[in-house]
Amino acid sequence: MAELLLSRRDLDFLLYDWLGAEELIARERFAEHDRETFDAVLDLAQELAARHFAPHNRRNDVEEPRFDGERVVLHPEVGAALKVFVDSGLMAAAMDHDLGGQQLPTLLANACTAWFQAANVGTAAYPFLTVANANLLAVYGTSEQRERLVRPLAAGRFFGTMCLSEPQAGSSLADVRTTAEPRPDGGYRLFGTKMWISGGDHELSENIVHLVLARTPGAPAGVRGLSLFAVPKYLVAADGSLGERNDVVLAGLNHKMGYRGTVNTVLNFGEGRHRPGGEPGAVGELVGELHQGLACMFHMMNEARTGVGLGAAALGYTGYLHALEYARSRPQGRPLTGRDPSAPQLPIVGHPDVRRLLLAQKSYVEGALALGLYCSRLIDEQRTAPDPAARAAAGQLLEVLTPVAKSWPSQWCLAANDLAIQVHGGYGYTRDHPVEQFYRDNRLNAIHEGTHGIQALDLLGRKVVRGGGAGLAVLLDAFAATAARAAQLGGEAGQFAAALEAAAGRVRHTTGVLWASGDPEVALPNASVYLEAVGHVVLAWIWLEQYLALGGADSAFHHGKRQAARWFFRVELPRTGPQFDLLDALDRTAADTPSEWF
Amino acid sequence: MAELLLSRRDLDFLLYDWLGAEELIARERFAEHDRETFDAVLDLAQELAARHFAPHNRRNDVEEPRFDGERVVLHPEVGAALKVFVDSGLMAAAMDHDLGGQQLPTLLANACTAWFQAANVGTAAYPFLTVANANLLAVYGTSEQRERLVRPLAAGRFFGTMCLSEPQAGSSLADVRTTAEPRPDGGYRLFGTKMWISGGDHELSENIVHLVLARTPGAPAGVRGLSLFAVPKYLVAADGSLGERNDVVLAGLNHKMGYRGTVNTVLNFGEGRHRPGGEPGAVGELVGELHQGLACMFHMMNEARTGVGLGAAALGYTGYLHALEYARSRPQGRPLTGRDPSAPQLPIVGHPDVRRLLLAQKSYVEGALALGLYCSRLIDEQRTAPDPAARAAAGQLLEVLTPVAKSWPSQWCLAANDLAIQVHGGYGYTRDHPVEQFYRDNRLNAIHEGTHGIQALDLLGRKVVRGGGAGLAVLLDAFAATAARAAQLGGEAGQFAAALEAAAGRVRHTTGVLWASGDPEVALPNASVYLEAVGHVVLAWIWLEQYLALGGADSAFHHGKRQAARWFFRVELPRTGPQFDLLDALDRTAADTPSEWF
C-alpha cells in the first residue's frame, strides 16, 4: 500500500541528496538525532500511514461525520488510527524536548506528515490542526500555558482548532464580530459564532482547545482590534485537571464535497447552553498581547500555508502513483502505427498520450513536494542556522515563497488529480477507484487558509514589495544563484539556467511595471495571474535545483527526474509568457467590467 | 429559478440575431413552424426544466439509483419529471412528423435540451439517450423497425440506450467481444457483457431498446467486424405488443463521482437468466448492414458529441449564473485602496479578482453554448439547405468541428465550474450550494462519448487530414470568412480579425509541420495539445462571430458580450502561442519517456 502513497525513493532524494537533512544534525537543537533516527521516523510514518490511515480513507468519506443530536459521530476507525498515531509520539515530532517532543527538524516532521496526508487527509487533519495549535501556544503562551495546555496537546490528550472565520467574515477578518469581555480575574468571556471550524467538536480527545480571534471592548476597528484567546471545551484547572463544560456549543456541521472525514463545524461561543462558574459566556484566556491576535496568527501562517501546500502535493502524489499503476496494468488499444486488431492490446502506459498525462502529473507532484520540503527546510534554517544573517535570509525567502508554496500545489496537484482520473477513463470517475476522492479532497486546498486570490494579494501586494522590494530581491537572488551553478555545467543544465534567468527577468520587469504607479488599483487587479506566473517560475527553479542534485547518476529514478525537469522547462515554463504579457499590458478587461454587464 | 439555469436573453441572441433560426422556416422541412412556435417550444422547455427538473437535481444526486435485489430504484421525482417531459412532446421535438415528431430544427431542439441539462443533467440523460437511439434507428432501421421501435421511442413509451463499451473494450472498440449468432429466422442471439450503459435498467418506460455493437461469427477482426443490433428488454411483436422478457440482465451498477441521477449499469446479454422462445441468448435484430455497426454509430457521433459539449456548456452556464448571483449578494471585504474597516463591506462582485473569475466563466460558457448551437445549426444545414453544395459544406465543417465541440466545453466549462466554486469560497465547497455538484457532474464529459485523447486523435489523425487536407481547409476558410467581415469594420473588430488570422496561420503551419513526415508516430503524440490549441482558435472565431452579430447595439447585454469577446482575445487566445511552439518543435519529451522512468 505504501508504494501507492508517496515514493520513499523520491523522499530520500529530496531530504538527503538535495536538502542536506543530515547537515542539520550538527545543529544544537537536533544534536540527539542522526541519520538513523531520521530514517526510523520516516519508516514509522510510512508504516502507520499505510496500515492505519489508508485503509479507512474511503469509508471516512462515505460515512462522513454526523451529529446524532447529542454528539458528533465519527467513523470508529478514525479514533483507532489516531490512538495509534498519538501513541507513536509523532504528534510532537518537531516539538521541544521540554514539552515531551522529539525535537526533530520541521523538514522531517513535514515529510512524515505528507505520508498521512497521502493516506487519509480527512483523518490526518485532526492531529495536524492540533500541532499547529500547539506550536502557536508554545510560542505565544505563557510558561504556565505551555505546561497546562501545550503539554497535553503535544501528548495528544487534547486536540486543537483554529477559530478565525465567521459566517460574515471569511477572507475579511476585519469583520470578525466575536467579542471577548474582560473579567475582574483577568480572564475573558467570549460571545459569537465561528464558521468553518475543522475538528470543532468530537470525542477523539479528552479536551479541545480552540484558538479564537475576538474583539475586546473599545478595541480599534478592523484587524488591529483582534486578540487571540484559548477557549477549551472543558475548563482546565491550574493543576491540569479538567473541570466544567465551557460554553462552546456545536451549532451545525458543514457538509463538503470532499475532505469529508474531517468534521467541519459552526461553533457558538457563549450562547448560554452552559454557564461555567454560573456566569454567561465562554471562558477564554488571552494568548499573547492584547490586539496582537492577527500578528500571532500570521506568525504561524508560513507553517500552516506550507502545510496546506504539502497536503495538496501529497494528494496529487498518491493520485499520480495510482494512475501509474493503472496505466501499467490496463491493456487497451494498440500503437499509433500498425493497428493490427489481432495483436494484443498495449498496457496504456505505452500510449504517448497517456505518458503525457503521467509526465505532467510527475512534474506537478514531485515539484510540489519538493517546494513544500524546501520551505520546511527554510523553517529549520530560520530557527537553527548558526549565523543570524542566514536565519534572517531564510526567513525572508520563506516569506516570499509561502503564498506560492500554498497556492501552486493547490492548483497544479488538483490538475494532477484531474489527469489521474483521465488516465483511468470511466473507471476513474467511479468510486471504485480512489482518484475521484483525491480530486474532491484536493479541491479544498485553494480555498482554506486563505484563498488563491488572498495568496495573490499577499504575494504581489505585500511580500514582493516589502522593504522597498527586498522580498523580490531575495527571490531573484535565489533564482540567480541556482542558475549560476547550472550555467557553469553548460549543456542541458546551461539551457535550463538560461530559461530560468529569462523568466526571472520577466518577473523583475513585470513587478516593476505593475508597481510603477505605486497604486494598488493598478497593480493588484491581476494579482492572481501574477501569482500563477511567478509560481511557475518558482517551480522551474525548484526543478533546476533537483536536476542539479541528481549529479551524474543514471538509474531509472534519476532519468525520470531529469525527464520531469525537461517537461517542466519545455512545456510548463513557456505558459508564463502570455501571462507576463497580459500583466505588462496592465490589462483591465475584467477590472473594468461593470457588475451589470455580466 | 429559470434565470439561474441559462440566459434566455443570450439564447435569443444566439438563435435569432446570430444563427438565423427564422431563416430555417423557409425550408420545406420546417414549413409548419414560425417564430411563434419556436418561441413557444423554448418557453415550454424553460418552464418544464425549472419547474420539474431543477427541484430534484440535488436529491437525484444524494439519493442516487440503487439496486434493491430485484429492480433498479430511482428517486421518484425522476419518473414524475419524465412523465411531464414525455407528455409535452419534447422527446420528439426534432423527429419526423410521420413518427409523431414536431419536426423542429435540431438548433431549436438542442436549445431546449440545454435547459434540461442545466436543470438536472442526471434526469435529462434518459430522454436524450432515447432521442439519440431513436434517431439512429430512424436512419438505419427498416420501415418496419421505424414503426415498431422508433414510434414508441418517439412517444416516450420506450426508452433507449447505446451499448458500445465492454469491461475490456472502452476506447478500443476493436476489442468488443459480444457475439451475435444468426438464427434460421433471420434474427440473432447475443452473448456478452456491456459496460458503462447509462439508463441500462429502470422502470421509467414500458420497454428499453438497447442498441448493441456485437461481432458475428466469421466477421473480420477489429471494428470492421462489428454489427449493430437492437435488443429490447421485452420482445416487441410485429403488432407492437410486448412479449417475453429478453435475456438482458443487470449485472451491476457503477457508482460515480457525479452524474449520479443517471443509472449507469453493467449489462449481461444471454447469460441464461431468461430463455426467450425457450432458447439461450438475448434476442436481437440487425440494424443497418452487417459489419457496418461502427459506421452506423459514427453517423450519429456528430450529434452525440455535440450533445455532450452542449451538456458541458449547460452545466458551466448554470454554475456561472449561480456564481454571479452569489457575487452580487455576498458582502465581503473592501476596495483595494481605502480599506477603512468601518466602511460597509463590498458585494464581492466589486472586487477585481472576482470579476476576473466571473468574466473568465462568461467567456467559457457563452462561448461553449454558442459553439454547440453553431454545430446544431450545421446539422440543420447539412440536412435541409436547398443547395447540395451548401449541404456538403456544412457537413464538412461539422465533421472537423465536432471533436472541438465535444472536448472544448468539457474542459473549459469544467474550468468554469471550478471558478464558480472559487467565487463562493468555502460555501461553494459545501453541498448547500449547487456548484460543487455541477463540478462533479461536468467531470464526466471529458470521458464519455470518446475521451479527450480520442477526440484529439479524431481531429489531428482523421478530420484535418481527410481528403488531402480538405478538412483543415474548410475550417480555415470559415475562419477567413469571418475575419474578412471583421477586418472590413476596422477598429476593435479589425484587431480581433488580425489576431484570428494570425492564429489561423499557426494552425495551418503547425498542421503542416506535424504531418510533414506523414508518420503518425511523429504527428500524433501531442494530438491533445493540438486539440486544445485549435479549440481555443475555434472559440476565438466563435467569439468574433458573436461580436459581429451584436452590431452597434449598446444595452448592458451587448456590452457584456463584447467584454467577454475582449477577454477571449486578450487573455485566452494568447495561451495558444506556447502550445503551437511545442507542437512545431515536434516535442517528444513524454512520448520518449520509458515506462520504467515514471
Side-chain angles (χ1 to χ4, degrees), chain B residues 112-135:
Chain B
C112 292
T113 297
W115 282 106
F116 294 98
Q117 290 173 317
N120 188 328
V121 81
T123 298
Y126 298 97
F128 303 132
L129 281 164
T130 300
V131 169
N133 179 300
N135 284 344

Side-chain angles (χ1 to χ4, degrees), chain A residues 163-235:
Chain A
C163 300
L164 286 72
S165 297
E166 299 180 1
Q168 81 296 340
S171 292
S172 178
L173 290 174
D175 295 287
V176 159
R177 286 188 202 143
T178 296
T179 57
E181 296 179 3
R183 286 293 185 270
D185 65 357
Y188 289 82
R189 292 282 171 146
L190 278 79
F191 301 87
T193 299
K194 291 291 179 178
M195 182 72 174
W196 308 122
I197 310 308
S198 289
D201 202 15
H202 55 71
E203 297 180 354
L204 294 168
S205 52
E206 297 172 29
N207 202 359
I208 303 174
V209 179
H210 304 286
L211 287 177
V212 185
L213 279 184
R215 193 175 297 286
T216 47
V223 293
R224 287 180 194 160
L226 297 178
S227 304
L228 186 65
F229 300 87
V231 183
K233 181 175 176 180
Y234 296 98
L235 303 189

Side-chain angles (χ1 to χ4, degrees), chain B residues 15 96 196 246 248 347 394 436 514:
Chain B
L15 294 176
D96 295 355
W196 310 121
N246 205 354
V248 186
E436 67 85 25
L514 291 172

Side-chain angles (χ1 to χ4, degrees), chain A residues 205-285:
Chain A
S205 52
E206 297 172 29
N207 202 359
I208 303 174
V209 179
H210 304 286
L211 287 177
V212 185
L213 279 184
R215 193 175 297 286
T216 47
V223 293
R224 287 180 194 160
L226 297 178
S227 304
L228 186 65
F229 300 87
V231 183
K233 181 175 176 180
Y234 296 98
L235 303 189
V236 187
D239 66 356
S241 63
L242 298 189
E244 269 183 284
R245 180 71 160 81
N246 205 352
D247 198 20
V248 185
V249 175
L250 184 74
L253 300 189
N254 295 308
H255 296 286
K256 295 165 294 181
M257 174 166 67
Y259 237 102
R260 293 191 188 183
T262 307
V263 66
N264 190 275
T265 63
V266 188
L267 293 182
N268 283 343
F269 292 80
E271 74 164 35
R273 182 95 57 95
H274 305 280
R275 289 176 64 89
E279 281 186 59
V283 172
E285 47 193 286

Side-chain angles (χ1 to χ4, degrees), chain A residues 64 166-175 195-196 221-223 254-260 320 324 328 330-337 339 341-343 345 349 352-353 355-356 358-359 362 414 417-419 421-422 425-432 436-437 439-444 446-447 451-453 457 519-521 524-529 532 556-557 559-561 563 566-567 570-571 574-575 577-578 582 587-598, chain B residues 64 166-175 195-196 221-223 254-260 320 324 328 330-337 339 341-343 345 349 352-353 355-356 358-359 362 414 418-419 421-422 425-432 436-437 439-444 446-447 451-453 457 519-521 524-529 532 556-557 559-561 563 566-567 570-571 574-575 577-578 582 587-598:
Chain A
E64 66 182 334
E166 299 180 1
Q168 81 296 340
S171 292
S172 178
L173 290 174
D175 295 287
M195 182 72 174
W196 308 122
V223 293
N254 295 308
H255 296 286
K256 295 165 294 181
M257 174 166 67
Y259 237 102
R260 293 191 188 183
Y320 162 63
L324 180 57
R328 284 178 170 153
R330 166 76 174 172
Q332 190 79 175
R334 293 173 183 78
L336 291 171
T337 48
R339 298 188 179 204
S342 63
Q345 299 205 60
V349 71
D353 194 56
R355 282 203 282 259
R356 194 182 62 84
L358 291 170
L359 192 57
K362 183 176 167 76
L414 177 65
N417 289 146
D418 179 72
L419 299 181
I421 291 175
Q422 201 65 18
Y427 292 95
Y429 192 66
T430 68
R431 278 127 59 198
D432 297 328
E436 67 85 24
Q437 183 184 344
Y439 179 70
R440 287 187 288 107
D441 290 348
N442 219 348
R443 182 62 186 83
L444 179 60
I447 298 172
T451 63
H452 199 66
L457 294 177
D519 181 355
E521 291 274 14
L524 299 179
N526 292 310
S528 293
V529 179
E532 293 178 11
F557 169 80
H559 286 306
K561 273 274 176 199
Q563 200 73 347
R566 287 176 194 122
W567 171 276
R570 293 176 190 167
V571 181
R575 289 183 199 264
L582 186 78
D587 183 72
R588 297 196 58 83
T589 310
D592 288 346
T593 305
S595 168
E596 63 274 18
W597 286 12
F598 287 105
Chain B
E64 67 182 334
E166 299 179 1
Q168 80 297 342
S171 292
S172 177
L173 290 174
D175 295 287
M195 183 70 174
W196 310 121
V223 294
N254 295 308
H255 297 287
K256 295 164 295 180
M257 173 167 69
Y259 237 100
R260 294 192 188 181
Y320 162 62
L324 179 57
R328 284 176 170 155
R330 165 77 174 172
Q332 190 79 174
R334 293 173 182 78
L336 290 172
T337 49
R339 299 186 178 204
S342 63
Q345 299 205 60
V349 71
D353 195 56
R355 283 203 281 261
R356 193 182 63 84
L358 290 169
L359 192 57
K362 183 175 166 78
L414 176 65
D418 178 71
L419 300 180
I421 291 175
Q422 201 65 18
Y427 292 95
Y429 192 67
T430 69
R431 279 124 61 196
D432 297 329
E436 67 85 25
Q437 184 184 344
Y439 178 70
R440 287 185 290 107
D441 290 348
N442 219 348
R443 183 61 187 84
L444 179 60
I447 299 173
T451 64
H452 199 65
L457 294 178
D519 181 355
E521 292 273 14
L524 298 179
N526 292 309
S528 292
V529 178
E532 291 178 14
F557 169 82
H559 286 305
K561 273 274 178 202
Q563 201 73 348
R566 287 177 194 122
W567 172 276
R570 293 174 190 169
V571 180
R575 289 184 200 265
L582 186 79
D587 183 71
R588 298 195 59 82
T589 310
D592 288 346
T593 306
S595 167
E596 62 273 18
W597 286 12
F598 288 105

Side-chain angles (χ1 to χ4, degrees), chain A residues 454-468:
Chain A
I454 293 292
Q455 303 304 319
L457 294 177
D458 183 44
L459 180 67
L460 180 57
R462 242 191 317 250
K463 298 295 177 62
V464 297
V465 291
R466 181 174 283 180

